[in-house]
Amino acid sequence: MKQEANLRLILLGLPGSGKGTQADSLKKKYNIPHISTGNLLREAISKNTPLGKQAESYVQSGELVPDSLIINLVKEEMTRNHGARGFILDGFPRNLAQAEKLDIMLKELNLELSLAIEIKLNEEILIKRLTGRRTCSKCGALYNIYFNPPQVSDICDVCQGKLSRREDDNVQVVNNRIKVYWSNISPVIDYYQKNGILHIIDGNQEAPGVFADISQIIERL
Ligand code: AP5
């Protein structure tokens, strides 16, 4: 990638495929904002904002929040980050309507997507990844009690904040999130394949391996 180029990237993949983990590393390496619709929704829910109140039941059950709410949320974030040298979109778009709306949004800003990365992996490991996930309630650092445990149980290595478990990371909701993913994602994948910007990455590797593969694709731009 040329040094002066902007990077506008979307990360696609099953719940637990590692989108948030990779976005966090990419954000640090390329110094661009990480826009996670899941994180934005959880923040709105914890602050009990009007959006949070409308989104809560969908997030808790693993259903998609209505497109109109999500599209406004992404628009606001795009506008807020307009001066940045690109963005990483994590968890959006999740269906064809959202992908088409994203293109319209970007056209209005005179921008284009650089890349769509699909992180693909075997579904058997997802349950362990998601039920084992812990997040620092203070700095947002991600852990996994099976694959990447903190040094002291339930305490963040970075800031000593308390680690918590996401409400939607229980087996029943995880299974629904997987089902919802498969019922919506195929047209999105086809859409980016036709646009010629889709790359598929092996998400079964450890996180640094996945990151190396994504970085290699970016460097080739
Ligand atoms: P969201 O927060 O986007 O959840 P998700 O898509 O289900 O994805 P996750 O955040 O669970 O997983 P991830 O791929 O980021 O994995 P992570 O890196 O954390 O959405 C939540 C809800 O919000 C949705 O269900 C929906 O209701 C709503 N929503 C959001 N966006 C929406 C939209 N656009 N439209 C409508 N509704 C929307 O990793 C998981 C764990 O695995 C961690 O513990 C991590 O440490 C570990 N791990 C990661 N990579 C590896 C690796 N390579 N090897 C071993 N362990 C790893």
Side-chain angles (χ1 to χ4, degrees), residues 1 5-7 23-34 81 83-88 211:
M1 190 176 78
N6 285 1
L7 176 63
D24 193 48
S25 302
L26 290 164
K27 167 186 161 178
K28 288 175 189 147
K29 180 166 181 183
Y30 295 100
N31 196 23
I32 48 175
H34 167 200
N81 288 295
R85 294 188 50 211
F87 53 76
I88 306 152
F211 183 60

Side-chain angles (χ1 to χ4, degrees), residues 13-22 36-39 41-42 55 58-60 62-67 70 90-95 98 129-130 132-134 142-145 147-148 166 168-169 177 203-208 210:
L14 276 158
S17 56
K19 303 180 295 295
T21 303
Q22 297 304 323
S36 155
T37 43
N39 287 348
L41 290 169
R42 281 183 288 280
Y58 296 97
V59 174
Q60 277 176 354
E63 293 296 321
L64 291 188
V65 171
D67 288 347
I70 290 290
D90 155 13
F92 180 92
R94 266 180 149 89
N95 59 28
Q98 293 184 6
R129 281 211 190 167
L130 291 171
R133 170 167 52 195
R134 300 291 181 273
L142 274 177
Y143 296 87
N144 191 290
I145 57 168
F147 306 117
N148 172 31
R166 260 170 57 175
D168 59 346
D169 275 349
R177 283 159 59 200
N204 296 299
Q205 319 167 64
E206 288 187 9
V210 180

Side-chain angles (χ1 to χ4, degrees), residues 15-16 124-135 143-147 164-175 177:
E124 303 87 77
I125 53 175
L126 292 182
I127 298 288
K128 239 179 164 177
R129 281 211 190 167
L130 291 171
T131 55
R133 170 167 52 195
R134 300 291 181 273
T135 311
Y143 296 87
N144 191 290
I145 57 168
Y146 306 110
F147 306 117
S164 62
R165 186 177 170 183
R166 260 170 57 175
E167 269 191 53
D168 59 346
D169 275 349
N170 64 72
V171 176
Q172 196 190 349
V173 178
V174 164
N175 281 327
R177 283 159 59 200

